[in-house]
C-alpha cells in the first residue's frame, strides 16, 4: 500500500477532488500554504494499493495544470531587503508536487 501526498494550487483542488471521487479514490484534503509565494494550497492524502498508484498519478496530472501568473512580492517586514524585488514578477504556478510513500501498516476502524 502507498500513501500519495499531492500538494496542488487551490484553483485546481475542486477539480481534482471531483475527479478522484469519479474514479472511486478517497482522499483527505488539508488546507496548506506555500512557502515561496505564501499562497493557499491544498494537500491531498490518498491511500491506495500499489497497483493503483499510476492511475491516481494520471488523475492528478490531468487535473492540475501549470500556468503563468503575475505575483506581487511580499514586502520584507523586518527581514533582509537585499533580495526584495519591488515590482510584480511572472512565475509558474499550479501543477502538483507529489510524494509517494510506502505504508507499513493500515488500519481502519
Amino acid at each position: 500500500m502507498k500513501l500519495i501526498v499531492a500538494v496542488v494550487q487551490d484553483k485546481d483542488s475542486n477539480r481534482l477532488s471531483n475527479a478522484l471521487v469519479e474514479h472511486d479514490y478517497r482522499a483527505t484534503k488539508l488546507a496548506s500554504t506555500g512557502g515561496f509565494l505564501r499562497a493557499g494550497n491544498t494537500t491531498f492524502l490518498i491511500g491506495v494499493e500499489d497497483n493503483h498508484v499510476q492511475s491516481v498519478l494520471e488523475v492528478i496530472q490531468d487535473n492540475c495544470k501549470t500556468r503563468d501568473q503575475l505575483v506581487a512580492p511580499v514586502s520584507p517586514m523586518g527581514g533582509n531587503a537585499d533580495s526584495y524585488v519591488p515590482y510584480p514578477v511572472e512565475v509558474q504556478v499550479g501543477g502538483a508536487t507529489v510524494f509517494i510513500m510506502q505504508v507499513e501498516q493500515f488500519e481502519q476502524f
Side-chain angles (χ1 to χ4, degrees), residues 45-63:
L45 304 177
I46 310 160
V48 295
E49 296 296 332
D50 291 3
N51 59 330
H52 290 277
V53 170
Q54 191 58 42
S55 176
V56 171
L57 291 176
E58 289 170 7
V59 171
I60 294 169
Q61 188 173 21
D62 290 345
N63 290 280

Side-chain angles (χ1 to χ4, degrees), residues 26-77:
R26 298 189 306 183
T28 298
K29 288 173 55 173
L30 304 172
S32 53
T33 303
F36 176 64
L37 298 176
R38 296 186 181 114
N41 293 325
T42 301
T43 300
F44 286 84
L45 304 177
I46 310 160
V48 295
E49 296 296 332
D50 291 3
N51 59 330
H52 290 277
V53 170
Q54 191 58 42
S55 176
V56 171
L57 291 176
E58 289 170 7
V59 171
I60 294 169
Q61 188 173 21
D62 290 345
N63 290 280
C64 300
K65 302 295 182 189
T66 59
R67 59 189 80 66
D68 291 330
Q69 177 177 319
L70 280 176
V71 176
V74 177
S75 108
M77 299 293 279

Side-chain angles (χ1 to χ4, degrees), residues 6 8 12-21 44 59-60 63-64:
V8 305
D12 296 325
S13 68
N14 284 336
R15 186 172 45 251
L16 177 58
S17 182
N18 292 336
L20 289 168
V21 169
F44 286 84
V59 171
I60 294 169
N63 290 280
C64 300

